[in-house]
Amino acid sequence: MGKRVPRDPESREQRERAEQPPCGQEEALSPQQAVDDEEFSEEFPAELVPELARDPGRLQALREELSRLPTRPGVYLMKNAAGEVIYVGKAMSLRNRVRSYFQSSRAHPPRTRRMVAHIASIDYIVTDSEVEALILESNLIKEYSPRFNVRLKDDKHYPYLRVSLEEPFPRLSIVRRAKPDGARYFGPFPHAGAVRETITLLRKYFPVRTCRLPIDENTRLRPCLEYHIHRCPGPCAGLIDRQSYGEMIRQVVLFLEGRQDQIIAELRREMEQAAADLQFERAAVLRDRIQALQQVVEKQKIVTHDLADRDAVALAVDTGLDLACVQVFFVRGGKIVGREHFLVEEANGTPPEEIMSGFVQQYYRDATFVPPQILLQYPVESPAVVEEWLARRRGGAVHLHVPQRGEKADLMAMVAENARLTLKEIAAQRDLEAQRIREGLAELQRELGLERLPVRIEAFDISNTQGAESVASMVVLEGGHPQPAEYRRFRIKTVEGPNDFASMQEVVRRRFQHGLEERALLQEQGRLAGPDDTPAPQGPREGAAESGPEPGLAPQLPEAWASRRRPRFARFPDLVLIDGGRGQLNAALAGMAEAGVRVPVLGLAKQFEEIYLPDRPQPLRLSPHSPALYLLQQVRDEAHRFAITYHRRLRGKRAVKSFLDDVPGIGPKRKKELLRRFGSVRRMAQASIEELAAVPGMSRKLAEALWERCVKEYPAEGGAASARRPGAAGPEAAGAPPPDAATAAEASAAGVPSDSTR
C-alpha cells in the first residue's frame, strides 16, 4: 500500500511535477516503460530467487505489487513473511528501482540475493523529490533498523558532548541524544570513554564547573572543594562574573571545533595585557595554559595548505569478521584535529559504494557539524541529492569529492590505511578473546567434571533492601558471550523478609518449572523433536542420573501457554552459577529438586572467589589468572548488575508511590486532576462525594470508591465530611489542616504543586 508525504509548497520539484497525476491513478507509459512491461516475464528468474519459484502464491502477490508501483520518487520498504521491515531504500523512480531487484540482467551481489529471497511484500511512500526521499529513508532506517541495510554498530548509543549554553553558567556533560534545546553538541563519539577523556583534557585548560546546581548571577553558596583545588572558578559563590565565565566557555567551544590556534592567539594577548597591568600571577596561569595548548597543536599534522575545514572518510572490510571499519579524519584549518572509527555490521558481499553511502547518510544525520567539503574514498549513490541534503543540514553549500591525485589523495590514502590497521587490531582482539573463551570453557569442563562443554551458563542473584522489593535475576552466557535477549527478572512472591536462601530456592524452582511447561508444550506441538532442538541438561559427574524431569513429575500445562509465541525458558543450561556460598548453593539444589530436574550447578562466593560444588565438601580455588574463573566472574557480576538495577528501579517507584495509586480506576491523569483540585488526600476525605465527582474525568461511582478509601485513611475527616452538606467545603475551606509530608511528596511526583508549596 502506497503512502504520500506532504508536499513542500516552495520546492522546485513540486512545480516540476504539478501536472503529474496523483499516486494510484492511471499514467501514460513512456516507450521505455512499455519495454520494461514487455520484459516483465523475465523477472523472478529461478536462478536468482529459487525460493520465489517454489512459492507460486508469493510470486503472484509480488508481481501484482510490482505492477502497481508508480514512477515517482519515494521510499520503498521490503518486508518478510512476518511483516518485519528488512530493507529500506529510496528511488527517483520507484517502479524502475524496485523491479530491478527481480531482473536476471542485474548482477546482484550475494547480500542482495539473500535479501530478495526473504521478500514477501513491498510497501512504498511517495515523496515530492529525491532529497525528501533521502531524508525519509534515513528516518525509517533509524526507526526500523532493517537487517539488510548498512548499519553502524550500536549507533543508538553513540554519546555526545554537551555544552549547556542555555544556562547562565554553562557546564560540560555527556548525553546520548542531541536535542534542539539551545545547548551546543559535539559528536557523535564512538565510545563514552573518548568523551570523558575530552572532558578531562578540557578541564586541565579551562576549569569549567561540573556540578548540576541551578546557578545564576544572584546565587551565593559556599564554594566546594573543586574551587579550592583550582578546578572551578566558583560561579556558585559569585567569585566570577557571567561575562568572564562566558569568555572561557567560548574558548571551550573553539577548542572542540579544533581552532586551538585562535585560542592561543587570544590567550597570548590576555597574558601580555595582564603582565602590563602587573598581574603577574594571572599572566603565569595564562602562560601555562598557552604551553599546554601548544603541545596539543604540535601533535596535529598539517595535511592541506588551503586551511579549509573538511572531513575525510575511508573504509576497510574484513570478510572473516563480516565487518567494515569506517575511519573519519577531522581536518580543521588544514590540520588533523581528531579522528574516529565506526563499525558497520554484516558487510560481506556489500559493495564499498553502498557501505559509504549508508555511512554518510547515518553519520551526518546525527552529526553536530557538517563541514563544507567531505572527501570520500568511494562515491556515494546520487551525490547531487546527498549534497543538497547535507547543505540543508549545514545551512550552506557542501561538496562531496573523491580525490584522485595531490595532497587530498595522499590524505585519503592515510585515512584508508588507518581504517585497515584499526580493523586488523579489532580482529586480533576478537581472536584473543575467542581463544580466552575456549580455554575458559575447556578448563571449566575439566575442573568441574562435566560431560560436555558448558556452552550455555545461567547465573542467578538476589537483591533486596531488608527484604523489601526482593527480586532475582537470571543472566545467560552462551559461548562466552552475554545474551541480553535471554535475561530474565523475577519478583520474589512467597518469601517474607530478607531471606536470600528461600528466595534463591523459589526463583530456581520457578525457572525450571516454566522450562518444563514450555518443553511439554513444544513437544505437543511437534516443535521439540529431541535434544538437538533444545539441549537437554546432563548430570554433573560420571554415573550421575540423567538430567530432566523426575518420573511422575510431568507438569500440568496451563492453557495460557497455548497463546505464547516464543518460549522463554525451554532451553536448559549446561551449567548454573549461583551468586553465593554453600547456603545459596543448597537452596538452589532444593529448588531444582522441587522442579524435578538435575543440572550442573556451582556457587561462587565473592570474598575469596571460592567455587562451591554439591559433591565436594571443600571449596575449589582456581588461579586468579584462570580464564575459567574470569568467565565465572563475568557472568556472576552481570547477574548482580542486572538484579540490583531492577531492585533500584522498583525501590525508586515505591519512594514516590501515592495513596491514589492503590485506588482502582485512578490513573495518572485523574490522580493529577485530583491533586490539582484538592492538594492532598486529607482534603479529599474532607470533601463530599459530589465535589469528588465534579473533578474532570471522575464519575459518581469512582468518586464513591475514592471517598470510602479516603475515609479509611482519615476516619475523623471523613466523619466530618459526611455531616456537611455537599459543596460546603473545598480545597480553600478556612481552617483546613495542611497536608502531611507524604501527600506533598506525591503531589510533587504527579507534577502539580501541593498546598504546602503554593
Side-chain angles (χ1 to χ4, degrees), residues 163 165 172 184 186 202 205-208 243-271 282 286 289-290 293:
V163 184
L165 297 180
L172 301 176
R184 182 72 185 273
F186 295 89
L202 279 171
Y205 310 143
F206 310 101
V208 297
Q243 181 178 358
S244 301
Y245 191 91
E247 178 64 22
M248 183 170 60
I249 291 296
R250 188 184 67 84
Q251 293 177 349
V252 167
V253 172
L254 289 175
F255 183 93
L256 292 171
E257 291 176 347
R259 309 186 188 281
Q260 289 86 0
D261 289 335
Q262 181 178 343
I263 301 175
I264 291 175
E266 294 178 358
L267 291 178
R268 185 171 282 113
R269 288 194 296 268
E270 291 184 29
M271 179 185 68
R282 172 168 172 74
L286 294 173
R289 190 176 299 176
I290 291 172
L293 288 173

Side-chain angles (χ1 to χ4, degrees), residues 234-526:
C236 60
L239 301 175
I240 184 173
D241 60 87
R242 184 173 179 178
Q243 181 178 358
S244 301
Y245 191 91
E247 178 64 22
M248 183 170 60
I249 291 296
R250 188 184 67 84
Q251 293 177 349
V252 167
V253 172
L254 289 175
F255 183 93
L256 292 171
E257 291 176 347
R259 309 186 188 281
Q260 289 86 0
D261 289 335
Q262 181 178 343
I263 301 175
I264 291 175
E266 294 178 358
L267 291 178
R268 185 171 282 113
R269 288 194 296 268
E270 291 184 29
M271 179 185 68
E272 293 172 354
Q273 183 62 41
D277 295 340
L278 304 182
Q279 299 178 2
F280 299 115
E281 292 184 0
R282 172 168 172 74
V285 171
L286 294 173
R287 177 203 62 199
D288 296 341
R289 190 176 299 176
I290 291 172
Q291 292 176 351
L293 288 173
Q294 285 176 337
Q295 293 178 359
V296 175
V297 174
E298 289 172 359
K299 299 177 182 179
Q300 299 172 351
K301 179 180 179 180
I302 298 178
V303 291
T304 58
H305 293 84
D306 55 3
L307 305 181
D309 295 345
R310 55 174 58 91
D311 289 351
V313 187
L315 62 90
V317 179
D318 189 310
T319 56
L321 293 177
D322 195 12
L323 202 66
C325 175
V326 183
Q327 192 89 21
V328 185
F329 274 35
F330 308 109
V331 181
R332 303 293 181 263
K335 297 180 180 180
I336 299 177
V337 299
R339 66 172 186 172
E340 299 291 355
H341 73 270
F342 300 85
L343 301 179
V344 177
E345 299 175 316
E346 300 183 11
N348 284 358
T350 304
E353 294 81 4
E354 183 177 342
I355 297 177
M356 186 64 71
S357 299
F359 173 79
V360 169
Q361 183 175 336
Q362 293 185 55
Y363 177 75
Y364 288 103
R365 175 192 63 200
D366 299 323
T368 57
F369 175 74
V370 179
Q373 186 180 59
I374 302 175
L375 304 180
L376 303 175
Q377 183 186 18
Y378 299 99
V380 299
E381 181 184 356
S382 304
V385 176
V386 177
E387 285 180 344
E388 184 176 348
W389 168 64
L390 291 172
R392 293 185 183 183
R393 296 217 66 240
R394 170 179 167 77
V398 178
H399 179 57
L400 301 178
H401 179 54
V402 181
Q404 302 296 328
R405 61 182 65 88
E407 61 182 12
K408 295 179 182 178
D410 295 338
L411 170 62
M412 186 56 59
M414 181 173 62
V415 179
E417 178 65 12
N418 277 268
R420 186 186 67 82
L421 293 175
T422 301
L423 196 56
K424 183 179 179 180
E425 182 181 350
I426 292 173
Q429 291 175 350
R430 293 194 175 186
D431 290 341
L432 186 63
E433 177 72 8
Q435 180 181 357
R436 182 189 61 78
I437 290 174
R438 287 194 298 268
E439 293 176 353
L441 294 177
E443 184 180 359
L444 276 177
Q445 182 184 15
R446 183 176 62 255
E447 294 292 340
L448 303 181
L450 302 177
E451 293 182 0
R452 65 180 182 185
L453 212 62
V455 176
R456 181 183 175 93
I457 303 175
E458 293 182 1
F460 295 84
D461 189 23
I462 305 296
S463 181
N464 61 73
T465 301
Q466 296 297 317
E469 304 296 348
S470 185
V471 299
S473 67
M474 182 192 93
V475 304
V476 179
L477 213 66
E478 194 159 315
H481 300 285
Q483 304 294 319
E486 301 286 334
Y487 291 6
R488 301 291 177 258
R489 295 179 300 215
F490 302 84
R491 283 199 186 192
I492 304 303
K493 299 179 178 179
T494 63
V495 180
E496 297 291 338
N499 190 337
D500 286 0
F501 298 151
S503 299
M504 183 65 72
Q505 180 177 346
E506 175 192 328
V507 71
V508 171
R509 181 190 71 248
R510 287 167 56 188
R511 181 264 177 268
F512 286 105
Q513 283 180 343
H514 290 327
L516 292 173
E517 292 168 355
E518 291 183 352
R519 288 163 72 94
L521 176 62
L522 293 174
Q523 192 167 9
E524 179 181 311
Q525 296 175 345

Side-chain angles (χ1 to χ4, degrees), residues 88-106:
V88 175
K90 68 178 186 306
M92 186 62 185
S93 171
L94 286 168
R95 173 181 295 174
N96 296 340
R97 176 62 172 170
V98 176
R99 289 174 61 173
S100 69
Y101 286 98
F102 303 95
Q103 293 175 352
S104 58
S105 59
R106 305 286 178 170

Side-chain angles (χ1 to χ4, degrees), residues 632-677:
L632 296 179
Q633 291 172 330
Q634 178 186 0
V635 67
R636 187 267 315 276
D637 294 342
E638 179 70 354
H640 177 72
R641 180 200 64 81
F642 197 55
I644 199 170
T645 301
Y646 184 41
H647 168 69
R648 286 172 176 169
R649 192 174 76 183
L650 296 180
R651 188 178 62 191
K653 288 183 177 180
R654 186 186 63 173
V656 295
K657 184 177 178 63
S658 167
F659 166 82
L660 299 176
D661 293 333
D662 296 328
V663 181
I666 303 294
K669 291 185 178 180
R670 286 171 175 164
K671 171 184 171 183
K672 191 172 184 177
E673 291 295 335
L674 285 167
L675 290 173
R676 189 191 306 277
R677 175 72 173 85

Side-chain angles (χ1 to χ4, degrees), residues 518-547:
E518 291 183 352
R519 288 163 72 94
L521 176 62
L522 293 174
Q523 192 167 9
E524 179 181 311
Q525 296 175 345
R527 295 165 58 191
L528 181 64
D532 292 337
D533 292 277
T534 303
Q538 77 283 353
R541 305 289 292 176
E542 182 177 356
E546 182 180 358
S547 301

Side-chain angles (χ1 to χ4, degrees), residues 57-125:
R58 178 177 161 206
L59 181 63
Q60 182 60 30
L62 286 175
R63 284 181 182 275
E64 294 176 358
E65 291 188 6
L66 289 178
S67 66
R68 293 194 297 265
L69 288 173
T71 57
R72 298 175 177 275
V75 174
Y76 54 92
L77 297 87
M78 308 290 197
K79 298 182 179 181
N80 60 13
E84 300 171 341
V85 177
I86 61 175
Y87 186 79
V88 175
K90 68 178 186 306
M92 186 62 185
S93 171
L94 286 168
R95 173 181 295 174
N96 296 340
R97 176 62 172 170
V98 176
R99 289 174 61 173
S100 69
Y101 286 98
F102 303 95
Q103 293 175 352
S104 58
S105 59
R106 305 286 178 170
H108 294 302
R111 181 187 178 90
T112 303
R113 290 173 177 265
R114 295 196 304 269
M115 180 196 73
V116 173
H118 289 84
I119 297 176
S121 62
I122 303 169
D123 197 1
Y124 66 90
I125 302 175

